[in-house]
Amino acid sequence: MKKSWGVLLALFIQFSVLAEQIGGRVMTVLDGNTIEVAGADGESYKILLFGIDCPELNQEFGEQAKKALERMLLNQEVTIEIQGKDRWGNRLGVVSFPGKTDPRLELLRQGLAWTAERNPVPELEAIRMEAEQKSIGLWEEKNPTPPWIFRRQQTLTQFKSS
């Protein structure tokens, strides 16, 4: 009987983490896929948009992605459905707000984002591929460098110069 309760408790905890929702106002756009939200609970939350990755700020199209996200979200009241955390503990979320398009879809349509490096969401990947086929945004370049490759290159460069 004790085992059953332990399993039920573990499932409940796992479900509540997956079902976490944050409501609040977007106070800062840190880059093309990262925002800071002042929660209705008075806490501040750093949220990475789930399923996409935008160019770094010092990478081509990085500033454009940040400005596009600012136009969409800055000072907006939003609800964020938390999808989990990345390996650094940052929350990954899907942002929604009444009457507006999912900002991830818009960034992909404008050619300002890649889908996630691992396990891309098929719906998002289809939009990314459409932008690539139309040579929109970063897809104007023949072989743009994905942000995860760019970050790895920067880490290697910093390691060698130290």
Side-chain angles (χ1 to χ4, degrees):
M1 188 65 161
K2 281 187 178 181
K3 265 189 177 177
S4 303
W5 282 109
V7 170
L8 285 174
L9 181 61
L11 287 172
F12 175 77
I13 291 169
Q14 184 177 16
F15 179 76
S16 27
V17 168
L18 294 175
E20 184 182 2
Q21 208 176 56
I22 297 170
R25 181 179 295 273
V26 177
M27 301 307 293
T28 310
V29 173
L30 300 169
D31 62 25
N33 58 284
T34 312
I35 58 175
E36 194 168 55
V37 175
D41 59 3
E43 294 293 318
S44 178
Y45 298 94
K46 180 179 174 183
I47 308 291
L48 278 68
L49 300 182
F50 173 75
I52 68 166
D53 199 355
C54 291
E56 294 298 311
L57 292 175
N58 55 346
Q59 191 177 3
E60 194 164 3
F61 291 98
E63 283 293 332
Q64 291 95 316
K66 178 183 177 185
K67 288 181 186 339
L69 194 59
E70 282 176 340
R71 284 191 298 277
M72 288 184 263
L73 294 181
L74 194 58
N75 297 316
Q76 296 291 320
E77 290 290 333
V78 298
T79 301
I80 300 158
E81 217 35 75
I82 301 301
Q83 304 297 308
K85 292 185 177 182
D86 67 10
R87 61 183 174 174
W88 296 280
N90 297 309
R91 288 176 174 85
L92 302 169
V94 175
V95 177
S96 61
F97 51 116
K100 301 289 183 173
T101 303
D102 181 337
R104 301 172 307 155
L105 303 180
E106 197 54 41
L107 288 164
L108 288 164
R109 281 187 192 110
Q110 292 179 31
L112 297 173
W114 276 263
T115 50
E117 178 183 16
R118 293 187 182 94
N119 306 316
V121 176
E123 175 193 8
L124 299 177
E125 182 64 10
I127 296 168
R128 184 207 59 79
M129 288 173 64
E130 191 175 318
E132 183 177 7
Q133 289 166 354
K134 293 179 179 177
S135 298
I136 296 171
L138 60 90
W139 303 111
E140 293 170 0
E141 294 181 22
K142 202 161 191 79
N143 197 13
T145 303
W148 54 87
I149 301 288
F150 183 83
R151 288 189 293 269
R152 288 177 196 140
Q153 291 168 343
Q154 297 302 302
T155 302
L156 288 174
T157 304
Q158 289 171 0
F159 182 71
K160 287 180 181 177
S161 64
S162 295

